[in-house]
Amino acid sequence: MYTYKYINNKICLGLLQVAWLRVDTQTILTIASHVITKNHRIVVTHSGHRTWSLHIRETRETDRGWYMCQVNTDPMSSNTGFLEVVVPPDILDYPTSTDMVVREGSNVTLRCAATGTPEPTVTWRREAGGMITLSNWHEVPVLEGPELTLTRVTRLHMGPYLCIASNGVPPTVSKRIVLIVHFAPMIWIENQLIGAYEGQTLVLECHSEAYPRPIVYWTRPNNETIVNDNNYKSEVTAEGYETTMRLMIKNVRLQDFGSFRCIATNSLGENDGWIKVYKIGKPSTSRNTNSRRDSKKWSIDHNKKSSKDELILKEMMEELEEEGNEENSKSSTSACGYLDALTLIVMLLNVFPRFTTTTLS
Amino acid sequence: MTDARVRNPGSCAAKSGNVGSVIEHHPSSYWEQPFSQPYFDNTTKRETTTTVGQSAYLYCRVRNLGDRAVSWIRKRDLHILTVGILTYTNDQRFQAMHSDGSDEWTLKITSPQVRDSGTYECQVSTEPKISQAYKLNVVVSKAKIAGNSELYIKSGSDINLTCIVLQTPEPPSFIYWYRGEHVINYSQRGGISVVTEKQTRTSRLLISRALPTDSGNYTCAPSTAESASVLVHVLNGR
């Protein structure tokens, strides 16, 4: 009779025995100091005969529920207690949204499904602390709820969103969902009319907003597409959906007077803008008498913070110089180029009205 | 069958002596089939009706028990009744019956009461547990004599009493008729006939040409039910 072995000691423990049961499943766990169930995670201990403790090792979610402590009095007496098993939050791959691509003007809902006990709360944030723009143009840093609905999406909505699930049980988890907004290119130009004299060095600048990133290029007044050579150097910088394109004309020639066009094309459309370069007379050298003061002033400004245009011009000049002096050794090129560029800028500032105005204003 | 009653504190020493020799014993089938899981033999009756005072038996049959224990619990309040052959409850009417090596673990409830009606569970200590529920109905069986509780009969007429046993799960093994305190003695007086039909659970007492001396309290007393009585007055007529 192998069943005796559970009870062998029990008989002599005393008249009353404490038993533990799982209420939900109506399972006998322990009686006195004997574990009845074959669940090996269950242990029972007691101190004296007053306190009987049920231990559950390696707790699982399924252990959550009511437990009964029973004493075989007549009539039987019992007490129940609830074991809550908490579970840190987890974000489910489905139906949580993956990266989304939508057209500007359409609506989009980002979803985030999380499990855990207690039930986690889901909050939405934009990465790097940005604001979430709601349909009523209100901006909020945080939004609560498993769904983030954006109506009439604009390019400002583009970027990574964080869905954060927390329920007070560490660790809190988050998922990064990137919202990509597609829209056709648009172009804006600060200076559409630029006066220049022959031989001058000039930078034309166009700004474009487009996503996916557009293909951009320039055309000359004769409608030819510009390729980089000794005279022209085009440069594109892009950040997010913003693209800045610059064209440097190193030495303005007669055929450069006219309208340059900057063009941006992506899968959704094309747009262009015009910059007209018109001819002005070479400024008289008499301005040079004032120029010492101007240049001095410029150098003070430069020490504080160079204006954007000056830096652009400087950088582009450096690069052009490098291209032109390819036979020079690398080290000397950079050093000399830099110095040359500086002198050139100083010179330009003295002679070129636009920059002069900038520095003086 | 072994009636193993362990709650009796006096049995403590005696039982442990008995137990010592078998603690290390494992059934050979357990080692022969180490991966076999216990299962219930489903041929046993799962719903039992018994009358108050008639011991009730719930039969639980488990195959491949191995080193697991069979327990009985009362589902209503989760009261543990027995574990193995040992009784946990202090209600002495419950006991487990099991003979060595058999697959049967029977719960015996002596002198059951109506309040014992309900569901009992035979539980095997596997993880997760396996269990089988048994429904027990304890009913109060009553005899009833057709007609009024008092009868007035002219002398010389027949006394005709029909007794029916209500709510009995099984036909009564016998039905006695009493007049007053005594079982009616057929030989004492002629003209008495008793027809008892077990199947219909009825008994008919016929006393022909009754006399005032036949007056009295007639009682129908079935073996498994509460008895019923009728008062018979035999009137002096001309």
Side-chain angles (χ1 to χ4, degrees):
Chain A
M1 271 311 310
Y2 39 88
T3 41
Y4 271 107
K5 71 179 174 185
Y6 302 112
I7 324 292
N8 186 26
N9 298 326
K10 161 196 153 179
I11 304 163
C12 300
L13 279 178
L15 202 61
L16 293 182
Q17 289 156 359
V18 175
W20 281 100
L21 298 98
R22 176 86 196 261
V23 175
D24 323 36
T25 58
Q26 302 205 319
T27 306
I28 302 170
L29 302 175
T30 67
I31 293 179
S33 48
H34 301 274
V35 178
I36 303 298
T37 175
K38 288 290 163 191
N39 182 345
H40 297 294
R41 299 182 296 114
I42 299 285
V43 174
V44 64
T45 62
H46 65 100
S47 52
H49 288 288
R50 294 191 156 269
T51 311
W52 293 81
S53 306
L54 178 74
H55 305 262
I56 305 171
R57 289 180 293 137
E58 298 151 39
T59 326
R60 297 170 190 171
E61 249 193 288
T62 49
D63 294 329
R64 174 187 303 117
W66 290 94
Y67 287 79
M68 177 190 275
C69 166
Q70 186 176 123
V71 186
N72 59 343
T73 49
D74 194 12
M76 173 270 274
S77 49
S78 68
N79 213 334
T80 55
F82 192 83
L83 173 69
E84 179 61 274
V85 180
V86 296
V87 182
D90 182 32
I91 295 175
L92 302 171
D93 285 340
Y94 182 83
T96 299
S97 304
T98 50
D99 291 356
M100 307 284 281
V101 179
V102 293
R103 286 286 293 271
E104 196 168 53
S106 59
N107 302 335
V108 68
T109 299
L110 305 184
R111 289 184 178 82
C112 187
T115 57
T117 308
E119 189 165 342
T121 51
V122 173
T123 51
W124 294 90
R125 284 177 186 276
R126 290 190 71 163
E127 206 171 71
M131 303 292 267
I132 298 172
T133 311
L134 304 176
S135 54
N136 55 8
W137 292 103
H138 284 173
E139 292 197 320
V140 291
V142 190
L143 204 71
E144 201 177 303
E147 289 190 353
L148 171 63
T149 299
L150 302 168
T151 49
R152 289 164 56 85
V153 164
T154 74
R155 60 200 68 178
L156 295 171
H157 288 112
M158 180 146 57
Y161 290 78
L162 294 178
C163 136
I164 303 155
S166 64
N167 64 354
V169 185
T172 292
V173 288
S174 70
K175 189 181 170 174
R176 189 173 183 266
I177 299 166
V178 179
L179 176 63
I180 293 165
V181 181
H182 278 183
F183 56 97
M186 54 158 281
I187 282 186
W188 53 279
I189 299 165
E190 279 172 39
N191 292 309
Q192 281 193 285
L193 214 51
I194 296 174
Y197 56 86
E198 275 185 75
Q200 189 185 343
T201 298
L202 207 56
V203 174
L204 312 182
E205 191 175 89
C206 267
H207 298 279
S208 163
E209 292 187 358
Y211 212 87
R213 292 246 170 95
I215 293 165
V216 292
Y217 59 97
W218 294 86
T219 61
R220 286 166 55 183
N222 65 2
N223 251 348
E224 271 177 32
T225 301
I226 291 174
V227 288
N228 280 352
D229 57 19
N230 280 337
N231 286 308
Y232 302 112
K233 180 177 168 58
S234 83
E235 193 187 76
V236 179
T237 55
E239 200 183 325
Y241 53 80
E242 287 177 330
T243 306
T244 302
M245 46 195 293
R246 295 187 192 92
L247 177 69
M248 180 177 180
I249 308 165
K250 194 183 179 187
N251 182 12
V252 175
R253 291 166 297 172
L254 204 56
Q255 66 263 39
D256 290 329
F257 295 112
S259 290
F260 284 79
R261 205 155 65 95
C262 56
I263 299 123
T265 307
N266 74 3
S267 52
L268 300 170
E270 180 177 297
N271 215 332
D272 62 357
W274 299 81
I275 299 177
K276 188 169 184 179
V277 178
Y278 65 95
K279 189 176 176 183
I280 55 167
K282 191 173 182 177
S284 66
T285 46
S286 64
R287 284 186 65 94
N288 275 343
T289 49
N290 302 335
S291 71
R292 291 202 74 82
R293 216 170 55 218
D294 294 343
S295 83
K296 204 174 181 183
K297 174 147 191 187
W298 172 80
S299 60
I300 291 163
D301 281 349
H302 178 74
N303 284 342
K304 280 195 227 156
K305 191 189 176 189
S306 308
S307 90
K308 195 174 142 201
D309 284 344
E310 289 156 9
L311 279 176
I312 292 160
L313 194 58
K314 194 180 86 183
E315 282 166 17
M316 291 183 84
M317 286 295 288
E318 277 170 28
E319 283 176 47
L320 264 186
E321 288 293 327
E322 276 176 39
E323 279 167 23
N325 302 326
E326 255 161 33
E327 67 276 6
N328 291 356
S329 78
K330 273 278 170 197
S331 56
S332 65
T333 306
S334 50
C336 297
Y338 183 69
L339 284 175
D340 287 347
L342 270 181
T343 21
L344 185 60
I345 290 163
V346 172
M347 191 191 83
L348 279 170
L349 286 166
N350 293 338
V351 292
F352 186 32
R354 185 175 156 238
F355 282 102
T356 320
T357 3
T358 315
T359 45
L360 285 175
S361 59
Chain B
M1 285 249 177
T2 323
D3 260 14
R5 171 146 269 182
V6 190
R7 278 284 2 110
N8 187 347
S11 69
C12 176
K15 278 291 173 191
S16 25
N18 181 14
V19 163
S21 58
V22 287
I23 282 175
E24 298 305 318
H25 174 73
H26 292 277
S28 56
S29 64
Y30 178 69
W31 296 107
E32 283 158 14
Q33 306 170 301
F35 301 110
S36 61
Q37 285 295 310
Y39 63 94
F40 289 104
D41 177 337
N42 283 322
T43 58
T44 55
K45 208 165 78 167
R46 304 282 288 283
E47 196 159 343
T48 304
T49 302
T50 188
T51 50
V52 170
Q54 285 270 98
S55 288
Y57 297 88
L58 305 180
Y59 301 97
C60 180
R61 213 172 279 150
V62 187
R63 309 262 190 237
N64 285 343
L65 184 63
D67 63 348
R68 274 96 14 166
V70 177
S71 307
W72 281 97
I73 61 164
R74 184 164 67 201
K75 282 182 86 77
R76 165 166 57 87
D77 58 354
L78 233 63
H79 188 16
I80 304 170
L81 304 173
T82 66
V83 179
I85 58 160
L86 304 165
T87 306
Y88 172 79
T89 177
N90 251 316
D91 186 335
Q92 303 289 314
R93 298 176 302 121
F94 293 92
Q95 57 190 111
M97 297 169 70
H98 171 76
S99 51
D100 283 12
S102 88
D103 286 337
E104 264 189 3
W105 301 83
T106 303
L107 180 69
K108 181 185 179 187
I109 307 166
T110 41
S111 50
Q113 306 300 311
V114 174
R115 62 182 160 86
D116 293 324
S117 296
T119 309
Y120 293 81
E121 183 181 286
C122 173
Q123 185 178 117
V124 179
S125 65
T126 48
E127 170 61 16
K129 73 155 188 193
I130 58 167
S131 66
Q132 212 160 49
Y134 292 75
K135 205 171 167 195
L136 175 68
N137 290 312
V138 183
V139 294
V140 181
S141 186
K142 278 181 182 162
K144 189 176 168 8
I145 296 170
N148 294 332
S149 58
E150 239 172 297
L151 277 181
Y152 297 90
I153 288 170
K154 279 182 194 162
S155 182
S157 300
D158 294 344
I159 299 174
N160 188 351
L161 301 175
T162 304
C163 174
I164 180 157
V165 184
L166 301 169
Q167 279 191 305
T168 176
E170 307 259 310
S173 43
F174 57 85
I175 300 176
Y176 283 159
W177 282 98
Y178 290 84
R179 188 168 72 95
E181 307 256 292
H182 306 287
V183 175
I184 291 173
N185 190 342
Y186 309 125
S187 55
Q188 192 182 355
R189 171 194 186 287
I192 297 180
S193 78
V194 173
V195 179
T196 297
E197 239 186 282
K198 270 195 186 177
Q199 222 40 51
T200 57
R201 296 140 160 80
T202 56
S203 181
R204 209 168 68 121
L205 172 70
L206 186 70
I207 301 172
S208 53
R209 290 184 302 282
L211 296 169
T213 50
D214 292 321
S215 295
N217 193 18
Y218 285 80
T219 298
C220 159
S223 59
T224 58
E226 283 181 13
S227 50
S229 297
V230 64
L231 205 55
V232 177
H233 304 275
V234 183
L235 305 171
N236 260 325
R238 43 211 72 138

